[in-house]
């Protein structure tokens, strides 16, 4: 017990010595931990029994962003529900899809660099490791698992949930960086929040917390109005609360 108290006192002393900007980053990190715990608790409160993959554990948040085009393949991906239906409406179902994306990306060897999840579609930018699964294998499992769990909760076994996905390999650095900015800021584009980091199912808050201030300034400085991407989805009226 004495050793534990001594370690705690040392930790408190070190925190007190941190400069203001580092204290701010520490506060953001603690807020994220609380948010993740809340998401986990909400998923646990569901009346349905969750499947083995989805929403059974905290999402596997990526490490600090690397911001590079990978030799093993860097892609931007968009996927949509059938007829653009807002099937993943509400906090619990958005948690389901968001957490499944993060967990399965890690499981299949794909590192997410930016992502945005909505009730009727999602976008992400990711690169594959040397041992990564093929992109379509990763996405097939994501869609199969999330659809099965969604239909279990809605009591609609066998219903088609996903329509298709579209991927583009990114080989030029400027194209890659512009699409990172586009995906981070996508909730603002759809009119859901005034500032992207306020939307809990996208990567903006994670990116601003883990990247350097120079990286954030660089990425957010890219103009995205010329980015060509399938994004004709109406989510302004969807329930994301």
């Amino acid at each position: 017990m004495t050793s534990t108290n001594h370690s705690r006192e040392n930790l408190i002393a070190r925190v007190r010595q941190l400069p203001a900007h580092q204290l701010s980053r520490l506060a953001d990190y603690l807020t994220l931990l609380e948010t993740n715990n809340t998401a986990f608790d909400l998923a646990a409160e569901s009346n349905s029994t969750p499947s083995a993959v989805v929403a059974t554990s905290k999402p596997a948040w990526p490490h600090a962003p690397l911001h590079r085009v990978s030799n093993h393949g860097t892609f931007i991906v968009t996927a949509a529900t059938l007829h653009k239906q807002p099937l993943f409406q509400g906090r619990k179902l958005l948690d389901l899809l968001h957490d499944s994306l993060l967990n399965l990306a890690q499981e299949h060897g794909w590192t997410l660099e930016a992502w945005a999840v909505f009730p009727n579609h999602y976008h992400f930018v990711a690169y594959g490791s040397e041992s990564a699964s093929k992109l379509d294998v990763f996405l097939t499992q994501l869609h199969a698992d999330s659809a099965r769990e969604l239909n279990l909760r809605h009591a609609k076994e066998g219903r088609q949930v996903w329509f298709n996905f579209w991927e583009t390999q990114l080989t030029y650095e400027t194209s890659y960086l512009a699409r990172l900015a586009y995906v981070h800021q996508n909730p603002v584009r759809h009119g859901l929040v005034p500032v992207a980091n306020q939307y809990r199912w996208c990567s903006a808050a994670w990116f601003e917390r883990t990247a350097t201030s120079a990286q954030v300034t660089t990425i957010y400085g890219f103009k995205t109005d010329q980015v060509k991407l399938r994004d004709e989805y109406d989510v302004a009226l969807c329930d994301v609360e």
Side-chain angles (χ1 to χ4, degrees):
M1 183 64 70
T2 301
S3 175
T4 300
N5 290 338
H6 182 66
S7 297
R8 184 182 296 111
E9 290 173 359
N10 284 341
L11 178 60
I12 293 172
R14 291 174 62 188
V15 169
R16 287 175 174 172
Q17 293 173 2
L18 291 175
H21 72 281
Q22 290 186 357
L23 283 173
S24 177
R25 291 172 69 88
L26 177 59
D28 290 343
Y29 177 71
L30 293 174
T31 298
L32 175 70
L33 290 179
E34 293 173 356
T35 300
N36 286 345
N37 285 333
T38 299
F40 176 68
D41 292 340
L42 284 170
E45 290 172 2
S46 171
N47 293 328
S48 302
T49 301
S51 65
V53 175
V54 290
T56 59
S57 61
K58 298 176 185 177
W61 292 88
H63 298 297
L66 298 179
H67 306 307
R68 61 183 175 84
V69 175
S70 168
N71 292 331
H72 304 295
T74 300
F75 291 84
I76 184 166
V77 175
T78 297
T81 59
L82 183 66
H83 305 312
K84 304 178 184 179
Q85 300 174 85
L87 299 178
F88 291 89
Q89 289 210 71
R91 180 181 294 263
K92 291 184 180 181
L93 294 180
L94 282 168
D95 281 347
L96 161 68
L97 181 56
H98 175 270
D99 296 1
S100 299
L101 170 62
L102 269 63
N103 290 334
L104 286 172
Q106 183 183 72
E107 181 179 319
H108 284 270
W110 286 87
T111 297
L112 295 171
E113 291 279 80
W115 63 90
V117 173
F118 305 101
N120 58 4
H121 74 290
Y122 65 77
H123 309 284
F124 70 77
V125 176
Y127 65 87
S129 66
E130 292 185 25
S131 59
S133 303
K134 291 184 177 179
L135 183 60
D136 61 341
V137 172
F138 159 37
L139 294 176
T140 296
Q141 184 177 354
L142 172 62
H143 290 179
D145 288 355
S146 59
R148 183 170 55 251
E149 179 64 19
L150 177 72
N151 287 342
L152 176 64
R153 298 188 186 191
H154 285 172
K156 293 189 176 182
E157 183 178 357
R159 173 185 56 176
Q160 182 178 347
V161 171
W162 293 101
F163 171 64
N164 206 349
F165 67 85
W166 301 267
E167 80 282 1
T168 301
Q169 186 167 5
L170 305 176
T171 56
Y172 295 98
E173 196 75 11
T174 53
S175 176
Y176 163 62
L177 297 175
R179 281 154 180 77
L180 283 180
Y182 185 95
V183 175
H184 287 314
Q185 296 295 323
N186 206 233
V188 175
R189 180 186 183 280
H190 284 299
L192 297 175
V193 289
V195 181
N197 61 25
Q198 296 176 357
Y199 187 74
R200 62 180 281 165
W201 300 283
C202 83
S203 53
W206 161 82
F207 171 61
E208 292 171 20
R209 186 185 66 258
T210 56
T212 66
S213 58
Q215 287 174 325
V216 173
T217 299
T218 297
I219 299 301
Y220 285 178
F222 273 81
K223 293 183 178 181
T224 61
D225 53 342
Q226 298 300 315
V227 171
K228 295 181 180 180
L229 187 67
R230 288 180 179 267
D231 205 6
E232 60 282 359
Y233 305 99
D234 184 8
V235 299
L237 299 180
C238 292
D239 174 17
V240 295
E241 297 299 330

